[in-house]
């Protein structure tokens, strides 16, 4: 079978799936119901799988149809993008743009950058999802993924750009420090109440410790409270329930307004990396190229430093009065 033959019926199949009926698809394609039905039958015969369940009152795709639909949409989108690219030397970004970003970082930071992009390119229609799972851009039909964590080794079908690493700091509320004191050493820190991040499997994330010239160590501690959501961790620390190791992008405002203070700031260390990931097959599409360039210029994971004199536990101690 030639590549051209493999493309036959794909547009009709996608139209039927999107419209929910043969009749509506026929209207969209300016074809007869019979022509649409025959095209789907030929496609199913070629694939040796039924794509639609015709026994229900409502036309529904089979499991095989759902899988095939995702592939067809991706192929047709890529063909359309290639045709536009060849038709003009320069094309303004346009069309639907599928983007996925981490739930908390996306809501607090990345979405602002994306909305600024949408304002700059009104012909682009962003379709944004927020999830903390490691999505597959190819399988899920995504154009660009913002991801915290992962490896710098990606499948050949994907391209990526590293935008920097988190900065992790230990934080507490002024009220906690007033009640329990500020630990002056790592050993003392490990004796304080800990607020930890908990995973779905019941495990907890260790603290990352970079003490002087010693190698980075993963320190497992017993948590007073374990929470599976980053903003909930911040709330628990603000309420004075313990000390947590948090990314500065997550608590930048709290450190600035004094509702949180840094504990042992010399133990600040790098955390997870921030990546942009996109499909290699789509990287020349104007909308994708433009968004990657925009994110590379506007997304950061390490906010500007907060004055250490104002945001450390030591600043809460009484200061000596200078001599007259």
């Amino acid at each position: 079978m030639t590549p051209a033959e493999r493309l036959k019926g794909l547009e009709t199949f996608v139209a039927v799936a999107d419209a929910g009926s043969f009749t509506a698809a026929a209207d969209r394609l300016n074809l007869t119901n019979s022509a649409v039905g025959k095209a789907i039958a030929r496609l199913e015969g070629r694939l040796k799988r039924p794509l639609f369940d015709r026994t229900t009152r409502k036309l529904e795709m089979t499991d095989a149809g759902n899988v095939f639909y995702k592939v067809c949409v991706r192929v047709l989108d890529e063909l359309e993008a290639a045709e536009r690219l060849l038709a003009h030397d320069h094309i303004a970004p346009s069309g639907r743009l599928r983007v996925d970003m981490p739930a908390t970082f996306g809501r607090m930071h990345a979405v602002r950058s994306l909305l600024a992009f949408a304002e700059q390119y009104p012909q682009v229609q962003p379709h944004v999802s927020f999830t903390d799972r490691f999505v597959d851009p190819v399988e899920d039909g995504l154009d660009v993924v913002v991801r915290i964590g992962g490896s710098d080794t990606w499948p050949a079908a994907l391209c990526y750009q590293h935008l920097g690493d988190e900065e992790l700091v230990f934080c507490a509320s002024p009220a906690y420090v007033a009640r329990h004191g500020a630990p002056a050493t790592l050993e003392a820190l490990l004796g304080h109440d800990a607020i930890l991040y908990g995973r779905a499997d019941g495990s907890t994330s260790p603290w990352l410790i970079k003490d002087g010239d010693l190698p980075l160590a993963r320190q497992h501690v017993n948590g007073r409270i374990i929470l599976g959501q980053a903003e909930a961790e911040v709330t628990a620390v603000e309420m004075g329930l313990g000390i947590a190791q948090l990314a500065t992008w997550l608590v930048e405002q709290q450190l600035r307004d004094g509702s949180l203070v840094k504990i042992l700031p010399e133990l600040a260390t790098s955390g997870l990396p921030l990546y942009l990931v996109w499909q290699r097959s789509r990287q020349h599409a104007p909308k994708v190229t433009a968004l990657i360039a925009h994110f590379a210029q506007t997304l950061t994971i390490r906010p500007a430093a907060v004055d250490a004199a104002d945001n450390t536990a030591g600043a809460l101690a009484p200061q000596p009065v200078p001599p007259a």
Side-chain angles (χ1 to χ4, degrees):
M1 182 183 297
T2 66
E5 290 174 326
R6 286 194 174 93
L7 294 176
K8 289 182 178 179
L10 299 193
E11 184 178 6
T12 303
F13 166 64
V14 170
V16 172
D18 288 342
S21 75
F22 283 21
T23 301
D27 289 340
R28 291 186 184 183
L29 299 173
N30 293 318
L31 297 173
T32 64
N33 284 5
S34 176
V36 171
K38 288 179 181 179
I40 297 300
R42 285 193 295 268
L43 185 59
E44 290 177 325
R46 194 169 78 231
L47 297 172
K48 297 181 174 58
R49 292 283 185 88
L51 300 174
F52 294 100
D53 184 356
R54 297 170 176 81
T55 62
T56 60
R57 298 180 63 182
K58 179 182 178 182
L59 186 68
E60 294 182 351
M61 283 189 291
T62 62
D63 290 343
N66 276 304
V67 172
F68 193 57
Y69 174 80
K70 293 180 181 179
V71 176
C72 289
V73 169
R74 183 169 70 245
V75 168
L76 293 174
D77 282 350
E78 290 173 3
L79 282 173
E80 181 183 359
E83 289 174 0
R84 289 200 304 264
L85 191 62
L86 294 174
H88 303 281
D89 292 334
H90 176 74
I91 306 172
S94 64
R96 188 170 73 156
L97 184 62
R98 291 285 312 279
V99 182
D100 185 82
M101 53 184 63
T104 302
F105 181 77
R107 185 190 66 78
M108 293 181 63
H109 295 281
V111 74
R112 295 180 181 274
S113 175
L114 180 68
L115 294 178
F117 175 83
E119 185 177 24
Q120 183 179 357
Y121 297 103
Q123 298 304 312
V124 174
Q125 181 189 29
H127 184 146
V128 187
S129 54
F130 297 84
T131 176
D132 289 325
R133 69 181 178 87
F134 282 89
V135 297
D136 184 329
V138 176
E139 181 179 342
D140 293 331
L142 298 164
D143 293 301
V144 179
V145 172
V146 179
R147 186 55 54 212
I148 295 179
S151 168
D152 59 1
T153 302
W154 300 87
L158 302 178
C159 297
Y160 71 94
Q161 184 171 347
H162 177 219
L163 297 185
D165 300 327
E166 293 178 316
E167 181 184 42
L168 301 177
V169 295
F170 289 101
C171 299
S173 71
Y176 179 88
V177 173
R179 287 197 305 270
H180 302 280
T185 65
L186 172 58
E187 183 178 6
L189 171 65
L190 297 178
H192 276 258
D193 293 334
I195 308 296
L196 302 180
Y197 181 84
R199 304 187 185 95
D201 62 4
S203 63
T204 59
S205 292
W207 282 352
L208 300 181
I209 306 295
K210 185 67 176 71
D211 190 9
D213 295 330
L214 296 176
L216 183 68
R218 299 169 66 86
Q219 180 70 52
H220 290 275
V221 296
N222 293 321
R224 180 191 174 192
I225 298 177
I226 300 169
L227 299 164
Q229 209 277 337
E231 288 173 290
E233 275 193 280
V234 176
T235 299
V237 178
E238 286 181 303
M239 291 179 64
L241 298 176
I243 296 174
Q245 187 177 46
L246 301 167
T248 49
W249 62 259
L250 183 62
V251 291
E252 178 182 17
Q253 183 57 47
Q254 289 87 343
L255 291 174
R256 288 190 181 282
D257 64 26
S259 57
L260 292 181
V261 295
K262 291 182 181 179
I263 301 295
L264 294 172
E266 65 271 20
L267 294 182
T269 188
S270 294
L272 295 172
L274 174 66
Y275 287 109
L276 294 181
V277 186
W278 62 93
Q279 295 189 45
R280 186 178 300 277
S281 61
R282 300 189 184 183
Q283 65 179 332
H284 296 301
K287 61 185 179 182
V288 174
T289 302
L291 182 60
I292 293 169
H294 176 80
F295 273 161
Q297 292 178 351
T298 60
L299 270 190
T300 178
I301 201 167
R302 299 185 74 153
V306 182
D307 186 351
D310 296 327
N311 77 324
T312 64
L316 300 176
Q319 301 298 310
V321 178

